């Protein structure tokens, strides 16, 4: 599904919302930007009269409204109870992000979206709340809460993706897991999480572009898609491995930076949970890839229905080059 020309107005306001939130000098202006961003995203979800799209739009609207109510309530408390107001504001932004322990809505909303909308939800919709969270990193209490949220998100994102066959749900739990790394990098400094967010957005763009072109939403759809070329199998495998952060692929670069900085700051306990969750996510990605490659074997594909090639070669080349960027540029090992 692509966006019609008339929907570019909503896309413009979708991008304008985070800009207003980031450049605002008050929490009221930041709230206006978040509302503009959320209300612009809902028409982009409901492009057609589909009950799944409508259900996801309603869930997204209710959650964002709840987060906005918490944000406004916390602003009332800033005059008298500064610590409580900071905690409530922090929790409201976590709810808008879909980070654990307020992750319950994120996989359900993702399950009813198309791949272009899923890409927007995992990238642009997270930008403004993350930058507003960085404004709160001024006290030791908020830093400890951020690291605690990172630990919970890491374990929820890793364990939630096990035994899941829907690709959008797998990518949703993977996004929650990556959110834990971004929260850990956020507690260290702004430049680290921005770099992680940029690399993550590029990898997610590669994954969602591939799946949107193949029109695959479940593992069975992926198995029954076109396997006539080893190039297709290599691309999808590299997408998953890069998203899991396997070295030396591109997804490992921001994790390597974050690991080194956390070791230098003696943050060993959060780092242990992050690395353990990374191993679990790598396990369920490898499970998908192994079954994918087994079914790709011509001797095993007697019951697979062949399809015509639906992805253009430039799209494949761009995605494959992006995931191999870490292999082509190993100089990052010597930067930090």
């Amino acid at each position: 599904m692509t966006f019609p020309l008339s929907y570019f107005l909503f896309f413009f306001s979708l991008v304008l919302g985070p800009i207003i939130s980031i450049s605002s000098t008050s929490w009221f202006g930041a709230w206006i930007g978040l509302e503009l961003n959320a209300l612009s995203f809902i028409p982009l979800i409901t492009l057609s009269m589909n009950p799944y799209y409508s259900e996801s739009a309603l869930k997204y609207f209710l959650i964002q409204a709840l987060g906005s109510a918490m944000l406004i309530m916390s602003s009332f408390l800033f005059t008298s109870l500064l610590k409580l107001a900071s905690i409530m504001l922090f929790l409201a932004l976590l709810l808008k992000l879909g980070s654990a322990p307020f992750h319950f809505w994120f996989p359900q909303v993702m399950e009813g979206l198309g791949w272009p909308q899923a890409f927007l939800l995992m990238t642009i919709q997270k930008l403004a709340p993350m930058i507003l969270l960085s404004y709160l990193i001024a006290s030791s209490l908020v830093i400890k809460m951020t690291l605690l949220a990172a630990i919970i998100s890491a374990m929820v994102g890793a364990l939630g993706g096990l035994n899941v066959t829907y690709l959008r749900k797998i990518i949703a739990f993977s996004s929650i897991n990556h959110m834990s790394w971004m929260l850990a990098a956020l507690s260290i400094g702004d430049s680290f999480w921005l770099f992680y967010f940029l690399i993550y957005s590029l990898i997610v763009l590669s994954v969602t572009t591939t799946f949107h072109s193949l029109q695959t939403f479940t593992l069975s759809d992926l198995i029954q898609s076109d396997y006539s070329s080893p190039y297709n199998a290599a691309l999808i495998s590299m997408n998953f491995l890069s998203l899991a952060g396997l070295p030396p692929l591109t997804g490992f670069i921001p994790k390597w930076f974050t690991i080194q900085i956390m070791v230098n700051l003696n943050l060993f306990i959060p780092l242990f949970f992050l690395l353990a969750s990374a191993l679990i996510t790598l396990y369920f990605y490898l499970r998908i890839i192994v079954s994918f490659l087994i079914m790709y074997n011509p001797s095993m594909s007697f019951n697979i229905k062949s399809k015509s090639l639906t992805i253009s070669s430039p799209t494949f080349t761009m995605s494959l080059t992006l995931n191999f960027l870490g292999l082509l540029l190993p100089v990052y090992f010597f930067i930090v």
Side-chain angles (χ1 to χ4, degrees), residues 18 22 26 165 189 287 293 327 330:
I22 293 166
S26 66
T165 58
R287 187 187 60 184
L293 294 177
L327 184 61

Side-chain angles (χ1 to χ4, degrees), residues 98-100 102-111 115 122 126 152-181 200 243 255 277-278 280-281 284-285:
S99 173
F102 306 107
H103 64 281
F104 51 88
W105 65 271
F106 191 75
Q108 297 181 18
V109 171
M110 278 280 292
E111 206 171 0
W115 286 114
M122 288 186 289
K126 292 181 181 293
I152 299 173
S153 298
M155 301 316 295
V156 166
L159 298 176
L162 296 173
N163 299 324
V164 176
T165 58
Y166 292 97
L167 291 175
R168 284 169 295 187
K169 219 166 186 178
I170 291 173
I171 300 300
F173 282 110
S174 172
S175 180
I176 295 172
N177 182 261
H178 281 281
M179 180 57 57
S180 68
W181 287 87
Y200 171 71
L243 194 61
K255 287 188 176 181
S277 68
I280 298 173
T281 55
F284 64 72
Y285 281 134

Side-chain angles (χ1 to χ4, degrees), residues 225-278:
S225 61
D226 179 27
Y227 289 111
S228 60
S229 170
Y231 198 48
N232 303 357
L235 169 68
I236 299 175
S237 300
M238 289 304 107
N239 277 337
F240 276 124
L241 292 177
S242 184
L243 194 61
L246 185 71
L249 299 174
T250 307
F252 178 68
I253 300 176
K255 287 188 176 181
W256 178 250
F257 282 138
T258 308
I259 288 169
Q260 285 207 334
I261 299 299
M262 292 181 75
V263 167
N264 292 336
L265 295 177
N266 297 324
L267 298 173
F268 296 113
I269 295 178
L271 183 58
F272 168 77
F273 285 100
L274 292 178
L275 292 176
S277 68

Side-chain angles (χ1 to χ4, degrees), residues 30-178:
W31 170 75
I32 290 176
L34 289 174
E35 289 303 296
L36 178 63
N37 178 255
L39 293 177
S40 302
F41 184 59
I42 292 173
L44 296 178
I45 298 176
T46 56
L47 288 178
S48 61
M49 298 299 292
N50 189 316
Y52 294 107
Y53 295 156
S54 302
E55 183 183 352
S56 293
L58 181 60
K59 288 177 181 177
Y60 182 78
F61 171 74
L62 291 176
I63 290 298
Q64 295 301 313
L66 177 60
S68 298
M70 289 179 61
L71 195 146
I72 294 172
M73 192 185 303
S74 64
S75 65
F76 292 153
L77 300 174
F78 263 112
T79 55
S80 55
L81 302 169
L82 186 60
K83 250 181 196 181
L84 181 60
S86 299
I87 292 173
M88 286 192 63
L89 187 59
F90 178 82
L91 297 178
L93 292 174
L94 281 187
L95 179 64
K96 282 183 167 291
L97 274 173
S99 173
F102 306 107
H103 64 281
F104 51 88
W105 65 271
F106 191 75
Q108 297 181 18
V109 171
M110 278 280 292
E111 206 171 0
L113 298 181
W115 286 114
Q117 292 89 341
F119 169 75
L120 293 177
L121 182 60
M122 288 186 289
T123 54
I124 296 178
Q125 297 303 100
K126 292 181 181 293
L127 185 59
M130 283 294 291
I131 292 180
L132 293 178
L133 271 180
S134 68
Y135 295 161
L136 292 175
I137 304 293
S139 63
S140 59
L141 176 63
V142 177
I143 292 176
K144 289 176 183 176
M145 290 178 63
T146 305
L147 290 174
L148 179 62
I151 292 172
I152 299 173
S153 298
M155 301 316 295
V156 166
L159 298 176
L162 296 173
N163 299 324
V164 176
T165 58
Y166 292 97
L167 291 175
R168 284 169 295 187
K169 219 166 186 178
I170 291 173
I171 300 300
F173 282 110
S174 172
S175 180
I176 295 172
N177 182 261
H178 281 281

